[in-house]
Amino acid sequence: MGGMTDGSRHGRTVHTGRWTMEDRFDSAWHYLPVEVGPGTAGLRVELEYDQASGAVLDLGCLGPGGFRGWSGGARSWFAITGAAATPGYLPGEIEPGEWQVMIGVHRVPPDGVPYRVTAQATGRGAGLLPDAAPAPPAPRERPPRRELPAGSGRRWLAGDLHAHTVHSDGELTVPELAVLAVERGLDFLAVTDHNTVSHHAELAGAARRYGITLLAGQEVTTDGGHAGALGDVGWIDFRREPDEWLDATQARGGLLSVNHPFAGPVSWTHPMRRRPPLAEVWHWSWLDQHWTTPLAWWLAWDPGAIPVGGSDWHRPGDDAPPGSPTTWVECAGEEPAAVLGGLRDGRTAISAGRDGPVLLRVDGELVAAGADGTILVGPDGPRARVRSPLARFPEAPGYHRLTDASGATLALTG
């Protein structure tokens, strides 16, 4: 993979070489050392390689004290200072000692790919980063909340458990994403950037400013599949095995979900000894709601997994907008802990959108809301026609759906 030149002159370190398929066979992640001296106030790292060759290299950073950031293939450089950092990276003290630039050798052409990594440590942090974007104003209007039948002391909140920002490969800042979610009538949103937690520091402020519950999250992202770690659980080390993701998330009070399990090249292929409590059964990759593929995967993987949905929002035109699908959680409050509590207890439902038909389990009944003319379908097939805007049916075990006359799924409950 090559060697190092220009060791520490003026705080500058340069690594050059060629990544090969053999390097990828050896490990998905490689580490290039950078010695940082006392008194350093800023560190800037740049990765150069020929992207036109078809190669994809990921970029991240470890400090002497551990994780300092990850941007995957979304960025070619980053900077860290005491007060600020490139999105995806953690600001704070530039500790003296050995730092490591993490390179994810994601895709390498047969002839390999030459690379150059330049790390510059400086005695000043000013000027390394552009000014932060101003926070957008709160929307002048927001859609009225949808009130649905719920158990005593609880209410159904509309949300989305899968969305990205500029802290990984998304287009919007955390405040911009919060505004979009509010405009779409959501009560909560999980912000789940890839392999980083740098966005967590912004969530509480944006939630207060825009009047929405923002859940801390991380999409643990590897070649073998993606998982959503929900809750303020700190960084989950994506280099470990998935069973360790589950152990760490649960030990810190969070919940883990298998994300988009049947999504082309990013489908879930990891083996696990235990099953996570949540499964993203409904994702935008369910391209045709006549398919029963998501249901088949769910039943084969773990029929006891709590079904949830996620839009996987990145930017306009690429993914479904936030709330498509909508995950409904019956909650005893509106704070993040209450949403996590409802998820943990399995009080969930999923609908194609916030304002369409929804199927709920409430006080021993199946309740179809906004679903007049749809068909209630159980594990064994159609059960009944829904004949009113709010219809109640005897509860029955197993997953149930609302479909249209052609069999397309409109709503789902576990």
Side-chain angles (χ1 to χ4, degrees):
M1 68 181 186
M4 177 175 63
T5 65
D6 197 9
S8 57
R9 185 179 62 192
H10 308 302
R12 183 170 181 263
T13 301
V14 178
H15 291 270
T16 60
R18 178 183 292 272
W19 300 110
T20 68
M21 283 188 171
E22 283 67 30
D23 292 319
R24 178 61 183 86
F25 300 156
D26 180 57
S27 175
W29 302 286
H30 294 264
Y31 307 89
L32 304 175
V34 174
E35 193 64 33
V36 173
T40 296
L43 177 67
R44 187 184 194 280
V45 172
E46 182 175 1
L47 167 64
E48 300 171 83
Y49 70 97
D50 181 11
Q51 298 185 37
S53 68
V56 178
L57 300 180
D58 295 332
L59 183 62
C61 184
L62 299 170
F67 177 76
R68 291 303 294 263
W70 180 261
S71 51
R75 302 186 189 278
S76 61
W77 70 274
F78 67 83
I80 301 174
T81 72
T86 300
Y89 295 80
L90 304 179
E93 178 189 359
I94 308 298
E95 308 150 275
E98 185 177 279
W99 288 57
Q100 293 176 321
V101 177
M102 286 195 291
I103 300 294
V105 185
H106 179 64
R107 186 174 300 123
V108 184
D111 294 335
V113 58
Y115 70 90
R116 179 184 179 91
V117 171
T118 304
Q120 180 70 53
T122 72
R124 61 180 181 83
L128 289 184
L129 292 157
D131 293 337
R140 293 182 179 180
E141 296 182 1
R142 65 189 302 165
R145 273 193 164 166
R146 189 173 178 188
E147 297 296 338
L148 298 170
S152 177
R154 296 195 286 264
R155 71 186 308 175
W156 288 96
L157 301 183
D160 191 331
L161 293 175
H162 191 167
H164 299 277
T165 72
V166 294
H167 285 265
S168 58
D169 57 349
E171 182 177 281
L172 302 182
T173 64
V174 169
E176 289 169 341
L177 178 62
V179 168
L180 177 60
V182 168
E183 291 174 338
R184 291 189 56 80
L186 299 185
D187 304 309
F188 71 87
L189 180 74
V191 186
T192 56
D193 280 306
H194 297 283
N195 289 343
T196 190
V197 292
S198 59
H199 54 291
H200 288 191
E202 300 184 45
L203 299 180
R208 287 192 300 270
R209 179 180 176 89
Y210 302 111
I212 185 172
T213 300
L214 296 177
L215 296 182
Q218 174 189 339
E219 187 168 22
V220 191
T221 305
T222 70
D223 283 357
H226 301 184
L230 302 177
D232 192 7
V233 299
W235 182 60
I236 301 300
D237 192 341
F238 57 91
R239 300 167 300 170
R240 305 289 188 182
E241 294 301 316
D243 283 291
E244 295 181 69
W245 309 344
L246 177 57
D247 291 343
T249 302
Q250 289 186 326
R252 302 171 195 173
L255 296 168
L256 191 72
S257 170
V258 172
N259 284 356
H260 47 68
F262 51 94
V266 292
S267 298
W268 184 264
T269 59
H270 285 299
M272 293 189 74
R273 294 188 302 274
R274 294 193 298 128
R275 298 302 194 233
L278 307 180
E280 192 181 66
V281 174
W282 198 328
H283 176 263
W284 71 258
S285 54
W286 192 357
L287 299 176
D288 184 341
Q289 266 73 65
H290 294 88
W291 297 346
T292 53
T293 307
L295 309 177
W297 183 89
W298 174 25
L299 296 177
W301 171 255
D302 179 9
I306 298 163
V308 296
S311 67
D312 203 356
W313 165 260
H314 287 78
R315 61 188 56 80
D318 276 10
D319 314 301
S324 303
T326 296
T327 298
W328 297 90
V329 182
E330 191 187 37
C331 302
E334 297 185 19
E335 66 277 7
V339 178
L340 287 172
L343 287 168
R344 185 175 287 109
D345 292 343
R347 298 193 300 269
T348 68
I350 315 170
S351 59
R354 194 202 80 136
D355 298 320
V358 61
L359 182 64
L360 312 169
R361 290 185 182 271
V362 181
D363 294 335
E365 293 181 309
L366 285 165
V367 179
D372 191 14
T374 65
I375 298 169
L376 176 66
V377 179
D380 298 326
R383 283 187 53 190
R385 188 191 301 271
V386 179
R387 296 184 179 274
S388 63
L390 186 66
R392 299 175 183 272
F393 301 91
E395 193 171 44
Y399 74 90
H400 280 66
R401 298 178 288 152
L402 295 176
T403 72
D404 64 16
S406 72
T409 298
L410 306 174
L412 173 67
T413 190

